[in-house]
Amino acid sequence: MRITCPACGSGKLRGRRDEAAEVVQVVCLECDHAWTHDPWACPSCGRQMHAARRPLLEKARGTQQSIIGYRTVKLCPSCDEPEDRSEGWLSAS
Ligand SMILES: [Zn+2]
Ligand SMILES: [Zn+2]
């Protein structure tokens, strides 16, 4: 995700990650404006996103799919689809 300075719109930024708070301290190199970027805030609506584990699937022989691992994704409660929406749920009548 691309971050720009809210004061001058510059993309020349310096960031320092605060591991404890899970936020990023950002300083604009153009105008010295400093702010805290919350990586868990949705870039579209600003709501707090939550982490969800998504399975990594690999096509095995035939039609079987096997789970080879998990990756963590960020989901917004407003902008992203609910996790439990499975294919066919919408078209079922
Ligand atoms: Zn700036
Ligand atoms: Zn959102």
Side-chain angles (χ1 to χ4, degrees):
M1 191 187 79
R2 182 164 174 79
I3 309 169
T4 54
C5 173
C8 72
S10 169
K12 294 179 183 173
L13 310 170
R14 188 177 61 219
R16 188 174 65 83
R17 190 180 172 85
D18 189 332
E19 296 290 345
E22 290 194 339
V23 295
V24 181
Q25 302 288 332
V26 188
V27 179
C28 176
L29 298 178
E30 296 284 343
C31 70
D32 270 352
H33 180 72
W35 73 98
T36 302
H37 170 70
D38 185 353
W40 288 94
C42 175
S44 301
C45 69
R47 284 186 66 173
Q48 282 285 304
M49 296 187 287
H50 60 272
R53 288 209 313 171
R54 285 286 169 81
L56 284 169
L57 298 173
E58 186 178 67
K59 266 246 164 65
R61 286 193 190 112
T63 56
Q64 288 277 328
Q65 280 191 326
S66 55
I67 296 172
I68 59 173
Y70 290 91
R71 67 188 172 100
T72 303
V73 296
K74 292 175 184 173
L75 291 178
C76 171
S78 304
C79 305
D80 289 303
E81 296 178 10
E83 287 175 64
D84 57 356
R85 183 182 293 175
S86 54
E87 281 181 44
W89 183 79
L90 284 171
S91 55
S93 56

